[in-house]
Amino acid sequence: MKYLLISLFVSLWFNAAIGQQDVLIKNGTLLTITDGVKEETDILLSNGKIKSIGKDLAAANARVIDAEGLFVMPGIVDAHSHIAIDAVNEATNPVTAEVFVGDAIDPYDIAMYRALAGGVTISHAMHGSANAIGGQCETLKHRWGELNPKSFVMEGAPRTIKFALGENPMRVHGEGKDIAPRTRMGIEQEFRRSFEGAKRYKQAWADHQSGKTKKPPAYSLRMQTLADILDGKIIIHCHSYRADEILMLMNVLSDFGVDKICFQHVNEGFKIAPELAEFGAHASVFSDWWAYKFEVYYSTAYNAAILTKNGVITSINSDDAGLIRHLYHEAAKTQRYGSLSDNEALRLITLNPAIQLGIDDRVGSLEVNKEADVAIFKNHPLSVYATPQMTIVDGVVRFDINEDMDDMRMEINPEAMLPAFYEQSEGHEDKCMQGVNSEHHHHAHSHHQH
Amino acid sequence: MKIISSALIKWSMVTIWCLLMVPLVAQVDYNQVPNPSNCYFFDNVFIHESPGKAPYLGDLTIRNGLIEQVSRNHKAPFDAIKVKVDSMHMYAGFVDVLSHAGLKKEEKEGKVEVKFPGMPPDEVAGITPYKLAADAYDGSSASLEALRAAGFTTSQISLESGMMPGKAAIINTSGNKNPVIANQQNLFSQFKGAGRYYPSTIIAVIAKWKDLYNQAKHHQSYAESYTKNSNGMERPDPSKSTAALYDVVNNESTVFFKASKKLNVYRAIELRNDLGLNMVLTSVPYVGDMADYLAQEKASIALSINTPDTSKISIDSTRLAEDEEYAGMLKRQQEHMLAHQQNAAKLEKANIKFGFSSAGSELAKMQGNILTMIEHGLSPEAAHKALSTYPAEMLGIQKLVGTIEKGKLGQVIITDKPYFKEKAKVRMVFTGQELFEMAGEEAKAKGPASDIAGTWSFMVESPDGNQKGVFEITESSKGNYTIVIVPDDDPSDTETIKDVKPKGNKVSFSFVMSEEGFTVPIDIETTFEDKSFAGSLKFGDFGSFPIKGSLLKKPE
């Protein structure tokens, strides 16, 4: 009667989510990231925080998890994903700073549970790359099992926004709609025009508020959002491949006094690693994914290592509901290609992406008072034999390999009988270009177009 | 063919001419056959005055569209038309929170050249809050008939294209020329993108909502100061759309927001909270597991009338025995089916007042669905409230409709059985000063298609006098009839209609009548009994007239 167990499990699990029981993980090998490796050490999670780390901890009424022989690491953070949102690309305009994927969170996307099963506790749900300035993104905590979309928002995480360089915006707007930007030059002008407009918008409102003008300027959420970027309130995450364009955007940002930027993909980042480091730009890359379109041929699996060694805060991301399930393998590849240390490799999927999202004071390492986001592995997470056992978000067990049932769906259509896989995996097209009308990229749709 | 006399055609032409001359010539509605009285008396009927109140056998008088008297026993006024409703059940007509009924088909204004898909005109973007449902009203729409048949005498109707299709109108469902019963004009909105134009996705629709709202807010306050003292001030220049949102900003107009997906319920409430809107959610689906949240948010809810269709679950018993995963999925699916059926009951339990919106619902299944909800824990009283007093409150018309009370609008329905207890049919609807009778169960249930072959007399009651003639009906093949219409005043001018297939005892057919260069489509809908028939004849756009007749002889 497995299905009875499922119902029982689901109800227990909700109880767990509501009444926060302390969790004491005993005798694990702690991969703390910031304080080395601690063997046979306990970690106590209480009220959603890491309460203490040490030997022979005890706590009354805590759920005790025996982690002897297991590895305990901070929950994995994915700085580039598109899971658990209903809309990715508002591809109708080259600049759509006002839209916000956090308005369309889908808590029932099974991809979130699968990410948890890969030890991932936080994903950065991003707008797609159809526009030079896309929409604002949302940092999600994988609190699988909650119903309200708002429950997944990582409260207080800084605002972020998607920018995009190169072929995608050129193809969608130039080629697809016969409007600017048609070229890489045109994309630069989209940024300059937008920032210049935002400066004037800010000035116009300042003039109105000081009484200099009586009539208020036309309100624009788009201009207001762009002005917030100029004011340093929003971190830019920019889809990018080519070195020349990356340098171009850094120049544009310098001209407008903007310094918070993380380049995404950055396949040619290795060519300009010192320049990125000097600017203070971050890089979030694939371990070894390229050649899915022309601008992504000049690539190397050493990218993450070269960037790291040059002092660029670097992370490895998934951009994909499949890849997000094994980011620990992706990080391990930097040991084969670049000989990064265990800690350097693990930082790529924990503390570094947390820095890029502006949440490193809260997550990304096992430290007392940080949030209780923890992944427990059988075998070292950088080993090919690694298997995630349990994933904990804010002190609540959201994935447990021993209670991983066949059917973990949250929502079920009572009128249609479909296997969970087909019902809730929204095709396998490239999510970065999700929602972009196919007429806009008649170029070999089978290619990956990140 | 003279099913309608050429005099009437001439009269129609005059009417057309009159219509063309609207600005110059005052219209007189010659279509209207005056009733001998505008007082109706319903005798000896079980009156369910209001939800929760025990029904009693009593009488009701409606005069000039208002309830004049309701009591256990009173005399029929001398001038009253007596309506035979003996021992049937009377309820205040149901109130529909939102529908798209009674409207002309929305026409797209030609092809608009849009150079920048990111900056389309408001119309293309689906932003037309300035459009009024009242202006697009079409009383002859069959959708109104469907509402009446389901027992709705009041509905808030709205246009339906785009994210902000327009302002709704609260009407009676009579199909009358002046159906609006309240001045309130609420905004209808939904998370509907404009395809390849901005806003295309739900995230852009939400952003655009915030944009429009804030623009309206700034424009309005500027316009106010300008009105007070325009010296040294530029003229306000709101767009048509932002100006139409002032009442929304002031919360004088409530936003009726379609949330037919569960996640959109959360999203709409989020938008409401962000902007401080007055909002009622419509076409709301299964939300039983978020009832506490809805209660805490004080959400106003109009549920969809649909319930899931159990017949859609088919069980493969061989697989069920062998395949554990299949068995598990089926079990969960059945649990969800049950939860969906308990949806309304869960809202009641959480003390959430809710109504129903007919938009997107299958009206023909409505009473069955209501009974399903009641079987799954909804109290009959709450079900009754959800169709009467609660929606009336949501629409701010509780003083006009929702209960059977002296002084309220004479909008009542008569059902053959207690509506919230057993399978019942709406037999009569009184709304907009008009009585509508629905064909009874027995009439419909007369089994297979009636044999209508024979010679029948007919009479059309037109404003131009009665037109008479004969239908010669022959069965050309099994269940397939040919009707020859032979008018009395010129028996040579016949019209032949082939391939008429009765549905039960319902017979309908259409043809086009040509006369003196005019063509008018004629649609006839009738119900045949053994020796007589009755129904209506729709004469193009000019109106419908009663048609009736009787059997002269069966074929040899």
Side-chain angles (χ1 to χ4, degrees), chain A residues 110-407:
Chain A
I110 198 82
M112 193 199 294
Y113 178 72
R114 293 173 181 156
L116 277 167
V120 183
T121 51
I122 289 174
S123 61
H124 183 217
M126 299 187 78
H127 189 275
S129 55
N131 311 334
I133 299 182
Q136 296 162 76
C137 315
E138 181 75 281
T139 302
L140 300 177
K141 278 230 173 182
H142 294 169
R143 298 177 181 126
W144 179 254
E146 301 295 326
L147 295 173
N148 189 334
K150 274 203 98 175
S151 312
F152 297 81
V153 172
M154 183 174 183
E155 307 80 4
R159 294 165 69 193
T160 57
I161 192 165
K162 179 73 170 274
F163 278 29
L165 305 173
E167 288 180 25
N168 286 359
M170 278 155 58
R171 180 173 54 248
V172 171
H173 302 284
E175 215 174 305
K177 306 192 177 88
D178 197 19
I179 57 173
R182 182 179 274 280
T183 61
R184 292 174 205 272
M185 297 181 291
I187 291 173
E188 174 175 0
Q189 293 316 308
E190 291 297 331
F191 298 132
R192 292 192 179 277
R193 181 162 54 208
S194 297
F195 285 143
E196 195 55 47
K199 268 169 77 176
R200 290 181 196 174
Y201 182 78
K202 265 175 73 177
Q203 190 57 51
W205 272 103
D207 288 348
H208 176 65
Q209 270 142 8
S210 68
K212 205 165 152 191
T213 55
K214 284 189 177 168
K215 192 178 175 191
Y219 176 86
S220 165
L221 188 54
R222 179 176 298 164
M223 283 301 159
Q224 185 56 54
T225 309
L226 293 166
D228 290 346
I229 298 174
L230 294 180
D231 289 345
K233 293 176 184 166
I234 306 179
I235 305 170
I236 299 167
H237 282 254
C238 185
H239 165 105
S240 59
Y241 298 108
R242 268 175 44 170
D244 53 351
E245 281 187 295
I246 293 168
L247 293 173
M248 171 276 282
L249 183 57
M250 289 195 288
N251 285 338
V252 171
L253 296 182
S254 300
D255 289 350
F256 288 91
V258 177
D259 56 7
K260 289 182 182 170
I261 178 137
C262 175
F263 286 97
Q264 292 283 343
H265 308 318
V266 213
N267 285 46
E268 293 188 13
F270 64 93
K271 294 182 180 175
I272 49 165
E275 288 82 354
L276 287 166
E278 192 193 337
F279 189 87
H282 303 162
S284 183
V285 305
F286 292 133
S287 57
D288 58 357
W289 197 0
W290 59 77
Y292 38 81
K293 62 187 145 184
F294 192 71
E295 64 184 352
V296 206
Y297 273 75
Y298 203 152
S299 301
T300 168
Y302 288 89
N303 202 20
I306 293 170
L307 289 162
T308 299
K309 295 298 182 191
N310 278 278
V312 179
I313 302 287
T314 303
S315 69
I316 284 184
N317 69 55
S318 79
D319 189 16
D320 181 84
L323 208 54
I324 198 171
R325 303 165 70 183
H326 50 90
L327 278 170
Y328 46 96
H329 280 163
E330 300 306 302
K333 288 174 185 171
T334 60
Q335 301 196 295
R336 169 67 181 79
Y337 302 104
S339 306
L340 292 189
S341 70
D342 282 2
N343 204 57
E344 281 172 328
L346 288 173
R347 272 185 75 116
L348 298 173
I349 52 170
T350 53
L351 192 60
N352 285 4
I355 295 169
Q356 294 171 345
L357 300 177
I359 52 176
D360 51 303
D361 55 334
R362 295 168 58 183
V363 293
S365 58
L366 298 180
E367 286 178 63
V368 172
N369 285 331
K370 276 203 169 180
E371 291 169 19
D373 291 3
V374 176
I376 304 176
F377 279 77
K378 187 174 172 185
N379 298 316
H380 194 284
L382 297 170
S383 152
V384 286
Y385 299 108
T387 327
Q389 301 295 301
M390 193 180 269
T391 307
I392 299 169
V393 184
D394 297 315
V396 178
V397 177
R398 298 286 178 180
F399 165 76
D400 183 339
I401 198 166
N402 295 314
E403 284 167 345
D404 174 41
M405 301 300 162
D406 286 343
D407 183 356

Side-chain angles (χ1 to χ4, degrees), chain B residues 22-35:
Chain B
V22 168
L24 303 177
V25 183
Q27 271 189 75
V28 178
D29 187 356
Y30 296 108
N31 269 343
Q32 200 71 44
V33 182
N35 281 333

Side-chain angles (χ1 to χ4, degrees), chain A residues 86 89-90 92-93 98 100 103 105 107 148 150 177-178 215 219 221 407 409 411 414-418, chain B residues 115 117-118 198 200-201 203-204 206 211 214-215 237 262-263 266-267 270 293 308-309 329 332-333:
Chain A
D86 261 359
N89 269 303
E90 174 61 34
T92 52
N93 202 56
E98 70 283 8
F100 175 36
D103 286 333
I105 296 169
N148 189 334
K150 274 203 98 175
K177 306 192 177 88
D178 197 19
K215 192 178 175 191
Y219 176 86
L221 188 54
D407 183 356
R409 289 173 299 169
E411 281 289 292
E415 290 181 340
M417 187 75 173
L418 284 169
Chain B
K115 171 65 187 157
Y198 186 94
S200 169
T201 56
I203 51 178
I206 292 171
D211 225 26
N214 284 305
Q215 282 162 4
D237 55 353
K262 190 171 160 186
L263 286 175
Y266 288 108
R267 292 164 185 166
E270 202 58 28
Y293 163 82
D309 184 353
M329 279 173 57
R332 288 200 73 200
Q333 190 182 26

